[in-house]
Amino acid sequence: DEEVSAEADRIYENVAEEGQTREEFLSVRGVTEDFLTNIARQGLIDVQIREILRDDAPDPTEEDMEAQLNAAKAPLTNACVSHILVASEEEANDVLDRLEGGEEFGELAIELSTDTGSAENNGILPCGTLETYVEPFRNAALVAPIGKVYESAVESQFGWHVVMVTDRDDAAEADLPSDEELADAVRDEAILSELQTWFTDAVNEADITVEEEYGTWELPPPTQTNPNPTVKTVLPPTTE
């Protein structure tokens, strides 16, 4: 109970606006002290469960570590990227051949790219951090040579991308997590997946009844989990 009380105090101190009393903090959010205490207790339980499970989590592979490092680099890396989006690998390779033959990137983007938003701008996407891009596209943009077309086409759920980075400000090494922090993040993702699976199975197996006045119980359909929770799985910003 002492730990829970201290955690509730920490939540209040970190979230409340300057000068806001405890009563005002609760009132503005429409919650009670019991609700805040319950949130604090749940948070502490969650932390302790993760610590226990982390001890049994397998060591991350090199691929896991690289993926986690790229996820950490993305929000710290600013880049200006252009792309040509087509439907198939064969079409993408044809674009690469035409570029190697001397044709202009912008002209091919206008002619061929199915991302009509960027195609109208010679394939140019808005400059910004790379966290807004889907993982395969983002990973290519992190390592592509500046001012040159990336060596191979990149497949995502939206099609095949021919990528060119025109400018990039890489993340500073001092701002990146250590190997130990990366390994813990990989283990935490594995733990989260395990907990989600356990919870879904428990709900599916439970004998749930609902009072008639509240309607009926319906389990929501499963959703696709982003393998890198800190990365937004979205199409490049201008894509329609």
Side-chain angles (χ1 to χ4, degrees), residues 46-135:
D46 180 69
V47 169
Q48 292 176 13
I49 288 174
R50 288 170 187 260
E51 288 176 353
I52 292 169
L53 293 177
R54 187 183 291 163
D55 291 339
D56 296 328
D59 291 332
T61 65
E62 289 185 15
E63 291 78 10
D64 293 333
M65 293 286 283
E66 182 179 2
Q68 195 66 41
L69 179 60
N70 285 340
K73 286 180 177 179
L76 302 174
T77 303
N78 283 280
C80 297
V81 188
S82 300
H83 81 143
I84 300 171
L85 180 64
V86 292
S88 68
E89 184 177 15
E90 183 180 2
E91 292 174 273
N93 288 334
D94 182 58
V95 172
L96 289 171
D97 289 340
R98 291 175 65 176
L99 289 168
E100 190 174 348
E103 295 191 53
E104 293 293 326
F105 192 99
E107 292 178 0
L108 288 179
I110 293 172
E111 176 189 345
L112 301 171
S113 184
T114 59
D115 174 7
T116 55
S118 67
E120 295 173 356
N121 194 31
N122 297 318
I124 300 172
L125 296 164
C127 299
T129 59
L130 295 177
E131 63 182 327
T132 58
Y133 297 113
V134 291
E135 186 177 355

Side-chain angles (χ1 to χ4, degrees), residues 39 44 72 75 88 101 122 130 132-133 141 148 166 190 200 209 213 234 238:
I39 292 296
L44 291 175
S88 68
N122 297 318
L130 295 177
T132 58
Y133 297 113
K148 296 182 180 180
T166 55
T200 301
T209 59
E213 62 183 299
V234 294
T238 61

Side-chain angles (χ1 to χ4, degrees), residues 5 13 56 123 134 139:
S5 179
E13 291 165 3
D56 296 328
V134 291
N139 290 346

Side-chain angles (χ1 to χ4, degrees), residues 20 141 179 183 210 228 236:
Q20 195 174 49
D179 286 347
V210 182
N228 296 302

